[in-house]
């Protein structure tokens, strides 16, 4: 098999890139080691920023998103037992975002690809990449017991945080990373949301977040110990801790829990996102702590620019296009990282439970929320760098 761009990974990054390259007439093939069902079931964060929604609309990929997504014009912040609504739309000059599960977006992208008669190769095991400088680049993999070989001019590593592309471009252990001394336990349940907008809460016992997927399904998270396991959090323990952190005036009656998962809090940014004919995009190049739900949005911004860079390279002969993409993507990743760490630091309790540190955090929140000029700190369009 031969193609122009071999795309490793069929998550949101790989699927979106395939669709956009297809439209430009650039031949490509996605190789995904999991099954289609596995990829579509994977539950992750679910918030799309203004720029992501605008781009998906412009690309004609937002039909179901516009029907089923839940618009978010502000957020609720709870601390010291009170709620403050932050009008993000007003603070950001009219920008709003949309709650829409990543699995729903993955389904939409898979369907859009199928509509143009294309499909990722699922179950492509043991993918091996050749040297980044080699031309053509040769990718080998196994499927249904047989060995396969794909020759391509370029490789797009869209294979997430644990795939082979990150390592190929940065070397083992390359890039900068940091892990925080706490995790999140997340629960998907058949519980109506406590508010139509997301609620973020600071409590000396830890952070809490109430998000949703529909009028009847909630996605809720609690800060917990760094190495806690899902089994440590029975439904009873989870809901009583949620109630304690949100306070008695937030009322809810917990419904059936359909999924429980642990989210480790860490950030990573690659040293480089391009080497020879191999480029990285999305989680392969950077991962952020989920506190600001930036991961999927950074991935969409990468792909928007990467597809344009392939167009400039292949149709206009701009040789530096991929290197320019990589530079810009790294800058954006650090901006996303800075915003995510700021939100994380502001809203999480010290794991030691140290009352001195916790009081400092509460006092910082008091002063932030008392000064309208500082509220733009919560705006998700943190630099404008990702605006279309
Ligand atoms: N071979 C083939 N495919 C692989 C390999 C491999 N060795 N390793 C990983 N993959 C696949 C995964 O199975 C997954 O489907 O690559 C895909 C990567 O998808 P994601 O991890 O979702 O990354 P990305 O598409 O960049 O999407 C970014 O994911 O983690 C979230 O917060 C992040 O929402 C953001 C989004
Ligand atoms: C989610 O809906 O899963 C979600 C929302 C906001 C976050 C993180 C996760 O900051």
């Amino acid at each position: 098999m031969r193609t122009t761009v071999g795309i490793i990974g069929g998550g949101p990054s790989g699927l979106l890139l395939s669709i956009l390259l297809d439209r430009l007439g650039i031949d490509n093939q996605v190789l995904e080691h999991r099954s289609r069902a596995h990829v579509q079931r994977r539950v992750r964060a679910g918030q799309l920023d203004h720029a992501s929604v605008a781009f998906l609309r412009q690309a004609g990929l937002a039909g179901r998103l516009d029907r089923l997504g839940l618009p978010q014009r502000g957020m609720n912040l709870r601390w010291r037992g009170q709620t403050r609504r932050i009008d993000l739309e007003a603070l950001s000059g009219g920008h709003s975002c949309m709650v829409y599960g990543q699995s729903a977006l993955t389904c939409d992208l898979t369907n859009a690809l199928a509509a143009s008669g294309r499909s990722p190769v699922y179950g492509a095991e043991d993918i091996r990449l050749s040297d980044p400088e080699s031309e053509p680049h040769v990718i080998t993999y196994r499927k249904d017991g047989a060995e396969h070989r794909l020759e391509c001019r370029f490789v797009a590593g869209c294979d997430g945080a644990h795939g082979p592309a990150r390592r190929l471009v940065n070397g083992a252990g390359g890039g900068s990373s940091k892990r925080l001394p706490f995790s999140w336990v997340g629960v998907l349940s058949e519980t109506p949301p406590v508010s139509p907008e997301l609620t973020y809460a600071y409590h000396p016992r830890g952070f809490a977040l109430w998000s949703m997927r529909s009028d009847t399904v909630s996605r809720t998270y609690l800060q917990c110990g760094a190495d806690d396991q899902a089994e440590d959090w029975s439904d009873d323990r989870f809901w009583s801790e949620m109630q304690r952190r949100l306070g008695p005036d937030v009322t809810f009656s917990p419904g059936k829990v359909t999924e429980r998962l642990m989210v480790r809090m860490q950030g990573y940014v690659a040293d480089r996102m391009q080497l020879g004919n191999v480029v990285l995009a999305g989680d392969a190049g950077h991962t952020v702590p989920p506190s600001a739900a930036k991961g999927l949005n950074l991935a969409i911004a990468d792909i928007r620019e990467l597809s344009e860079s392939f167009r400039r390279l292949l149709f206009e002969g701009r040789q530096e296009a991929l290197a320019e993409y990589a530079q810009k993507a790294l800058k954006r990743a650090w901006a996303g990282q800075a915003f995510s760490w700021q939100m994380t630091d502001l809203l999480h309790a010290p794991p030691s439970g140290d009352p001195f540190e916790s009081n400092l955090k509460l006092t910082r929140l008091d002063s932030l929320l008392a000064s309208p000029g500082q509220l733009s700190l919560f705006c998700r369009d943190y630099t404008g760098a990702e605006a279309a």
Side-chain angles (χ1 to χ4, degrees):
M1 267 209 304
R2 198 170 280 190
T3 191
T4 306
V5 184
I7 301 174
I8 316 294
S13 298
L15 293 169
L16 184 58
L17 181 62
S18 182
I19 293 169
L20 299 178
L21 292 182
D22 235 23
R23 291 181 180 175
L24 290 167
I26 300 171
D27 191 38
N28 67 87
Q29 180 61 55
V30 177
L31 301 176
E32 163 62 53
H33 68 164
R34 304 280 191 190
S35 67
R36 176 175 171 156
H38 178 101
V39 173
Q40 293 192 346
R41 259 199 325 265
R42 205 162 34 204
V43 180
R44 292 236 174 102
Q47 188 149 314
L48 292 170
D49 290 355
H50 182 83
S52 302
V53 174
F55 178 69
L56 292 168
R57 279 190 188 135
Q58 187 193 322
L61 295 167
R64 206 163 71 110
L65 166 65
D66 277 327
R67 262 183 289 119
L68 302 180
L70 305 169
Q72 301 283 305
R73 301 193 165 82
M75 63 183 257
N76 303 303
L77 192 66
R78 276 190 74 79
W79 86 117
R80 295 193 196 275
Q82 49 185 313
T83 301
R84 171 74 180 274
R85 177 176 186 271
I86 302 177
D87 188 341
L88 296 175
E89 189 174 36
L91 286 165
S92 63
H95 287 185
S96 61
C97 50
M98 194 86 103
V99 164
Y100 192 62
Q102 180 172 315
S103 45
L105 181 65
T106 308
C107 276
D108 297 348
L109 297 177
T110 313
N111 292 339
L113 203 54
S116 53
R118 301 184 56 95
S119 165
V121 173
Y122 289 104
E125 290 169 7
D126 196 20
I127 290 186
R128 286 169 199 257
L129 305 164
S130 57
D131 184 89
E133 307 288 348
S134 57
E135 277 184 61
H137 197 100
V138 179
I139 304 173
T140 58
Y141 61 95
R142 218 173 344 97
K143 182 171 163 68
D144 302 327
E147 295 293 329
H148 296 266
R149 180 186 156 92
L150 177 67
E151 280 184 15
C152 38
R153 281 180 67 190
F154 305 96
V155 173
C158 299
D159 47 350
H162 307 290
R166 183 188 272 194
R167 235 178 358 264
L168 183 72
V169 172
N170 287 273
S176 322
S177 63
K178 200 168 189 67
R179 180 157 175 214
L180 283 155
F182 44 80
S183 298
W184 282 6
V185 51
V187 153
L188 187 68
S189 69
E190 290 163 10
T191 311
V194 291
S195 156
E197 293 177 336
L198 265 60
T199 300
Y200 291 83
Y202 178 86
H203 189 279
R205 292 175 65 86
F207 166 80
L209 166 59
W210 197 298
S211 178
M212 70 293 283
R213 291 291 177 270
S214 70
D215 291 346
T216 53
V217 173
S218 285
R219 185 89 175 128
T220 43
Y221 301 92
L222 291 174
Q223 177 186 347
C224 64
D227 299 316
D228 280 12
Q229 303 297 318
E231 311 79 78
D232 299 332
W233 286 88
S234 66
D235 295 353
D236 280 354
R237 180 180 177 203
F238 184 88
W239 293 119
S240 63
E241 189 62 27
M242 177 62 80
Q243 186 70 76
R244 217 162 155 177
R245 293 188 194 179
L246 290 182
D249 53 321
V250 177
T251 50
F252 57 89
S253 29
K256 185 172 165 220
V257 170
T258 50
E259 198 192 83
R260 192 182 311 136
L261 85 166
M262 305 307 299
V263 185
R264 306 296 169 200
M265 301 289 282
Q266 54 200 353
Y268 169 88
V269 181
D271 291 332
R272 51 187 174 212
M273 288 180 64
Q274 177 251 345
L275 184 60
N277 296 324
V278 182
V279 276
L280 304 179
D283 271 22
H286 39 74
T287 41
V288 285
S291 325
K294 275 286 164 200
L296 182 55
N297 297 289
L298 286 171
I300 291 173
D302 279 1
I303 298 302
R304 185 184 67 210
E305 273 169 26
L306 181 55
S307 58
E308 174 58 16
S309 298
F310 273 121
R311 188 193 64 74
R312 286 209 301 271
L313 173 65
L314 294 168
F315 299 130
E316 293 174 2
R318 191 168 175 91
Q319 296 305 318
E320 323 79 66
L322 294 184
E324 287 166 359
Y325 152 78
Q327 282 306 317
K328 228 171 142 187
L330 280 177
K331 206 165 161 215
R332 181 172 45 242
W334 277 114
Q337 204 70 258
F339 181 76
S340 304
W341 283 76
Q342 179 175 273
M343 283 300 120
T344 305
D345 181 48
L346 191 66
L347 297 171
H348 287 74
S352 58
D354 179 0
F356 187 90
E357 263 190 70
S358 189
N359 275 310
L360 285 180
K361 291 217 169 194
L362 282 166
T363 308
R364 191 164 158 224
L365 281 169
D366 292 340
S367 79
L368 251 179
L369 292 158
S371 41
Q374 290 198 58
L375 290 178
S376 55
L377 184 109
F378 293 98
C379 281
R380 302 175 53 77
D381 300 327
Y382 45 90
T383 58
E386 62 185 319

